[in-house]
Amino acid sequence: MALLDVRNLTVRFDTPDGEVQAVSDLSFTMEKGECLGIVGESGSGKSQTFMAAMGLLADNGRATGDVLFGGANLLTAGEKQLNAIRGNKAAMVFQDHMTSLTPHMKVGRQMAEVLVRHRGLSAAAARDAAIAMLKRVQIPDPERRAAMYPHELSGGLRQRVMIAMSLLCHPELLIADEPTTALDVTVQALILDLIREVKEQDRTSVILITHDLGVVAGLADRVAVMYAGRIVELGDVAQIFAAPQHPYTQGLLACTPRLDDVGKVLKTISGQPPNLQRLPPGCAFAPRCPFKIAACAERPPLRPAAGGGLKACARDDIASINRAAS
Amino acid sequence: MTAPLLQVKDLKVHFPVRTGGVVIGRYQALRAVDGVSFDLAPGETLGIVGESGCGKTTLGRAVLQLLPVTSGAVTWLGQEMTGLGAAAVKAAREHMQIVFQDPLASLDPRMTAGDIIAEPLRNYHPELSRAEVTRRVGELMEQVGLLPAMVNRYPHEFSGGQCQRIGIARAMILKPKLVICDEPVSALDVSVRAQVVNLLKDLQKTFGLAMLFISHDLAVVRHISDRVLVLYLGKAMELATRESLYQAPRHPYTRALMSAVPIPDPVKERAKPRIILAGDLPSPLDPPSGCVFRTRCPKATAVCAAKEPVRETSAHGHDVWCHHWRE
């Protein structure tokens, strides 16, 4: 049985300008021990998919569909049941390391709280376990750091504290939402190493949400590319990067400046990211797609593609067109 | 070589910071930029890279005299800028413009796109007729990829990428000789970032612009720069042509920085060697003695703590500030 099984997840928000559908009819499964990379630009629905799964949507948001995890449907579970799962079997690490920690609580105490609540440890035992976990994530001088407030730590250390906190109950699933976006590259490299270690040593399943293709390239086993609230391509990491099947994935790869080569002119994807309130009927990427045909007026389903992955694109001849062009 | 457009010599920007207790406090100097020198030729792009807190933004603003300079010289077209009166600084700024990181926050929400783009022109050339201003604004909007029909819209009606195009148009309307771009694409989505990078490259060619391109993103800097200056804790580490720097970085900090940038290729990314930097960035209030990078440098020895490295130039004209760069 899959560790996580998302079926027909749709997330809507009521806004003053009308309803916005942030995630549309999304389905995927995830196996134990794997790392699934979720790639997309702002507004692609990559964060809201997992906020909905964890019952963390804003008040004006509603989710429909099924999110099956450990025998429970997270979308219909009550607050009590969710609280027993969140931070325990499934933990989340957020992008904003400053606002995601409680500012008026010492780091050690807010970490210990997790163990007291979920595992019923005594305060002293929880504190020791928290310090051990800080050591595990390679925070130097963990006893002293545990007695500090979040603002006394650097961004990299705060992100480490968040990861340490998320690992306290040895979760089966770690959801990392842009865990390194606010960090410098040298710090980012250390945090990614840490996530890799957690995945390999503890067999923790990891969902890595990011806009940075380089980050998923180093860590993910499979990659889902999202656009306008839908998965447009899903496949093995090697295949996604070596032979992307969807024009959007191809475009993203071509327009990412790379340190290891100097192309003369950077390729671009024309136009702007979509406005979710004014999506075209049919394929949402069609207005920006160089391969648009009449069939794109109808929304393409996610279907098997060459290379063993899935794609939501009406055409099958794009690879040969690209080969002829290059 | 042509005469430099801009010469920065031993520039220092220190901010007074109150530390210590509430009652008995004292002021300490935060060394944001601490003795940086470089030249910029007309039409050249100098990339300025470094991690947060390295002083790259402060350096850009000090060049424009948007911040008080502690010591050192900024020479613009042969004229010393530091210590000039407000009127003279204003006159010089006609030819040096800036594009900011946050596209929406750097535009006045109550002004239309047209007014925002026209503002520098009205400031410096009040003699121009309304029709002439409108004509130039429309022309420039087209050049930066905005529909001139959008001239009466407000910033919130544009996407992030379009707002940045407005910011770029505002910087270009006076046909400046130098544009300082402070993280101009960092806030943009990947698909839009490439468009704006290409736009800046095109404009540079069309107008023969010089640019200071300030960014933490080494891949983008490689794409756009002729030369690159690497900063760490307010000091220059390495300054070289793009090819020389990216093909053969000499400074241990540059090497560590480059090895940390993820490459969007699973095979290469998983195979590449990485240089791990130990510890955190030291405080700019109390920088390490000698070489500021020595506390995290894998090559540091006793001499690094005792003596500050001076500029050494390799056979390829590659400047390095390191005691051990030859190793």
Side-chain angles (χ1 to χ4, degrees):
Chain A
M1 199 182 87
L3 175 76
L4 180 70
D5 188 351
V6 175
R7 292 179 191 166
N8 310 103
L9 177 69
T10 295
V11 179
R12 296 186 180 86
F13 290 95
D14 288 319
T15 73
D17 303 328
E19 191 183 80
V20 173
Q21 194 159 317
V23 180
S24 305
D25 198 24
L26 195 80
S27 300
F28 68 91
T29 63
M30 192 181 163
E31 299 302 326
K32 187 160 173 48
E34 90 168 322
C35 175
L36 177 65
I38 310 279
V39 178
E41 299 182 276
S42 41
S44 63
K46 58 189 191 301
S47 291
Q48 294 308 332
T49 297
F50 296 95
M51 293 298 264
M54 299 288 272
L56 295 173
L57 284 181
D59 287 344
N60 64 341
R62 280 168 297 124
T64 56
D66 299 293
V67 177
L68 306 175
F69 175 75
N73 185 346
L74 299 184
L75 291 191
T76 54
E79 196 69 8
K80 207 167 164 188
Q81 197 182 357
L82 276 179
N83 281 342
I85 293 171
R86 288 185 297 215
N88 188 12
K89 285 186 180 152
M92 207 157 171
V93 174
F94 299 93
Q95 170 177 356
D96 193 339
H97 45 76
M98 188 73 240
T99 56
S100 305
L101 292 168
T102 306
H104 63 266
M105 236 169 141
K106 284 178 182 163
V107 164
R109 224 184 109 209
Q110 50 186 308
M111 287 181 70
E113 194 184 49
V114 177
L115 288 167
V116 172
R117 282 194 76 131
H118 285 302
R119 292 288 144 94
L121 262 59
S122 70
R127 207 189 103 83
D128 289 346
I131 289 173
M133 190 54 82
L134 288 176
K135 197 176 280 167
R136 159 84 206 276
V137 300
Q138 292 151 33
I139 289 186
D141 203 358
E143 285 85 5
R144 197 167 62 86
R145 296 288 154 74
M148 285 181 164
Y149 289 99
H151 76 266
E152 297 177 273
L153 303 175
S154 68
L157 281 182
R158 276 200 295 269
Q159 197 59 282
R160 257 166 218 258
V161 167
M162 292 241 296
I163 292 175
M165 198 188 297
S166 70
L167 296 178
L168 279 173
C169 292
H170 302 286
E172 290 167 51
L173 177 64
L174 177 68
I175 302 172
D177 188 357
E178 302 264 11
T180 59
T181 303
L183 303 174
D184 280 322
V185 280
T186 54
V187 183
Q188 164 171 287
L190 297 174
I191 296 289
L192 294 178
D193 280 351
L194 180 60
I195 295 176
R196 183 177 300 117
E197 193 194 302
V198 166
K199 176 191 170 245
E200 278 163 13
Q201 289 185 3
D202 307 1
R203 297 234 327 125
T204 305
S205 313
V206 179
I207 287 176
L208 184 66
I209 305 170
T210 179
H211 69 282
D212 188 335
L213 287 162
V215 169
V216 281
L219 212 54
D221 301 310
R222 283 192 306 151
V223 177
V225 180
M226 289 186 68
Y227 190 81
R230 293 173 195 274
I231 293 177
V232 293
E233 182 163 3
L234 176 68
D236 197 62
V237 67
Q239 179 257 311
I240 289 265
F241 282 88
Q245 298 295 311
H246 195 282
Y248 177 62
T249 316
Q250 293 170 357
L252 269 188
L253 276 167
C255 74
T256 303
R258 294 170 60 141
L259 197 64
D260 59 336
D261 75 349
V262 249
K264 290 287 166 278
V265 181
L266 214 48
K267 292 224 173 66
T268 57
I269 301 177
S270 66
Q272 307 290 331
N275 179 337
L276 292 174
Q277 277 172 305
R278 284 197 293 268
L279 284 184
C283 174
F285 185 62
R288 304 176 74 188
C289 183
F291 302 107
K292 190 171 82 172
I293 51 172
C296 302
E298 216 163 301
R299 189 169 51 244
L302 198 59
R303 62 190 175 98
L310 300 170
K311 69 169 175 184
C313 177
R315 297 186 71 163
D316 285 319
D317 52 350
I318 289 170
S320 56
I321 295 175
N322 279 336
R323 259 199 307 279
S326 65
Chain B
M1 202 181 133
T2 43
L5 190 68
L6 176 75
Q7 275 181 298
V8 172
K9 221 174 157 203
D10 201 23
L11 187 73
K12 292 186 183 181
V13 182
H14 295 178
F15 296 106
V17 174
R18 204 181 140 96
T19 57
V22 179
V23 183
I24 311 165
R26 63 195 177 100
Y27 285 93
Q28 262 183 295
L30 186 148
R31 298 156 181 268
V33 175
D34 203 23
V36 173
S37 306
F38 62 86
D39 286 356
L40 187 69
E44 185 189 31
T45 299
L46 177 68
I48 299 181
V49 298
E51 299 183 282
S52 39
C54 73
K56 52 192 191 298
T57 291
T58 305
L59 179 60
R61 296 193 179 189
V63 166
L64 280 173
Q65 306 293 310
L66 289 171
L67 289 169
V69 168
T70 308
S71 71
V74 176
T75 313
W76 172 250
L77 293 168
Q79 183 190 28
E80 176 50 45
M81 293 275 289
T82 49
L84 277 187
V89 168
K90 187 185 165 184
R93 281 197 198 132
E94 180 177 351
H95 305 291
M96 40 201 332
Q97 294 287 316
I98 184 164
V99 176
F100 296 98
Q101 172 172 5
D102 189 332
L104 194 56
S106 54
L107 305 178
D108 187 332
R110 293 171 302 177
M111 283 167 78
T112 63
D115 284 335
I116 290 169
I117 298 170
E119 196 181 18
L121 205 54
R122 294 204 175 109
N123 246 329
Y124 281 96
H125 297 285
E127 76 282 0
L128 291 177
S129 70
R130 189 178 290 250
E132 176 63 13
V133 170
T134 309
R135 190 188 67 75
R136 288 200 196 178
V137 167
E139 191 183 278
L140 199 57
M141 283 180 81
E142 248 170 87
Q143 270 175 319
V144 301
L146 291 168
L147 293 174
M150 295 170 158
V151 67
N152 289 322
R153 294 207 196 160
Y154 289 90
H156 73 268
E157 298 175 74
F158 292 91
S159 69
Q162 287 172 321
C163 282
Q164 198 56 295
R165 288 172 196 267
I166 297 174
I168 291 169
R170 171 175 64 184
M172 298 301 306
I173 190 106
L174 291 167
K175 302 204 165 41
K177 296 186 171 76
L178 167 69
V179 173
I180 295 174
C181 298
D182 189 359
E183 301 267 12
V185 297
S186 305
L188 305 178
D189 269 319
V190 185
S191 69
V192 178
R193 184 179 301 174
Q195 297 172 3
V196 174
V197 168
N198 284 347
L199 169 66
L200 286 169
K201 280 183 93 164
D202 287 349
L203 289 172
Q204 178 178 37
K205 253 190 228 130
T206 315
F207 292 95
L209 271 181
M211 278 204 292
L212 287 185
F213 192 91
I214 299 167
S215 177
H216 70 280
D217 186 333
L218 279 98
V220 171
V221 167
R222 174 166 200 171
H223 225 84
I224 205 161
S225 308
D226 300 313
R227 282 190 305 149
V228 180
L229 170 66
V230 182
L231 292 181
Y232 180 82
L233 217 64
K235 288 191 186 284
M237 298 285 112
E238 188 160 9
L239 172 62
T241 60
R242 169 176 71 185
E243 290 74 25
S244 178
L245 187 89
Y246 282 87
Q247 273 161 25
R250 303 275 156 72
H251 199 287
Y253 177 59
T254 318
R255 288 182 183 172
L257 206 54
M258 285 191 188
S259 81
V261 177
I263 297 170
D265 177 333
V267 181
K268 281 190 184 176
E269 174 62 14
R270 287 169 206 218
K272 78 173 184 200
R274 278 252 319 281
I275 304 165
I276 307 272
L277 288 187
D280 273 341
L281 191 73
S283 164
L285 284 172
D286 184 22
S289 66
C291 172
V292 287
F293 183 56
R294 71 174 165 87
T295 53
R296 302 173 73 196
C297 182
K299 288 189 172 177
T301 57
V303 65
C304 303
K307 222 173 92 194
E308 193 182 330
V310 293
R311 181 172 70 185
E312 292 182 40
T313 305
S314 80
H316 303 90
H318 192 125
D319 293 341
V320 193
W321 286 258
C322 176
H323 293 299
H324 299 297
W325 70 273
R326 283 190 177 82
E327 292 158 21

